[in-house]
Amino acid sequence: MQRTSLEFFMAVGMGVDSNFTRPRDTDFSVVISGEDCAPCQQLTQPLQKVQDDMPPGVSKAMTGPGLTVLYRSENIGMDPAAHNVTLAWVNARPEPRKHYKYYIFINSS
């Protein structure tokens, strides 16, 4: 992971930094392979841990308004597998599914 790239995206793209405005009508899903992501602690502090059954490939999930952080237990399949985990998460949610016009997938490097 390119830590500076992720920190920049969190501040500017996601509006985590108080100097930038959070995009409206945008939901973010951050997929972490493994258990350790120091910059992500800033994201996960206000989130709640999900107790539901997890879709395949997800070991832990935390959610809040407009943000989901998904943890993968293994980094198998690289970026396409992480993107698939996001789509599986969206499809597995019990609450009414939002109808997204676009999905945009990026990685931190």
Side-chain angles (χ1 to χ4, degrees):
M1 169 184 59
Q2 297 286 332
R3 183 181 183 133
T4 55
S5 296
L6 178 58
E7 288 170 340
F8 179 81
F9 180 75
M10 287 171 31
V12 178
M14 297 176 73
V16 173
D17 187 310
S18 61
N19 295 321
F20 298 96
T21 305
R22 186 184 183 335
R24 292 179 301 148
D25 300 325
T26 303
D27 293 327
F28 292 96
S29 176
V30 176
V31 179
I32 300 167
S33 295
E35 293 292 322
D36 193 27
C37 176
C40 299
Q41 291 175 0
Q42 187 177 6
L43 293 176
T44 59
Q45 287 174 350
L47 302 179
Q48 294 184 351
K49 188 172 180 181
V50 176
Q51 302 298 330
D52 301 340
D53 289 332
M54 300 295 149
V58 177
S59 60
K60 179 172 77 171
M62 302 179 80
T63 62
L67 175 63
T68 300
V69 177
L70 302 172
Y71 290 84
R72 295 175 62 211
S73 53
E74 298 182 60
N75 190 13
I76 296 174
M78 300 184 289
D79 294 344
H83 304 329
N84 285 338
V85 163
T86 299
L87 295 173
W89 175 262
V90 170
N91 287 326
R93 301 310 316 137
E95 61 266 4
R97 192 173 305 142
K98 293 182 179 180
H99 295 282
Y100 294 103
K101 203 171 193 179
Y102 302 102
Y103 289 89
I104 300 170
F105 298 103
I106 61 175
N107 90 13
S108 65
S109 56

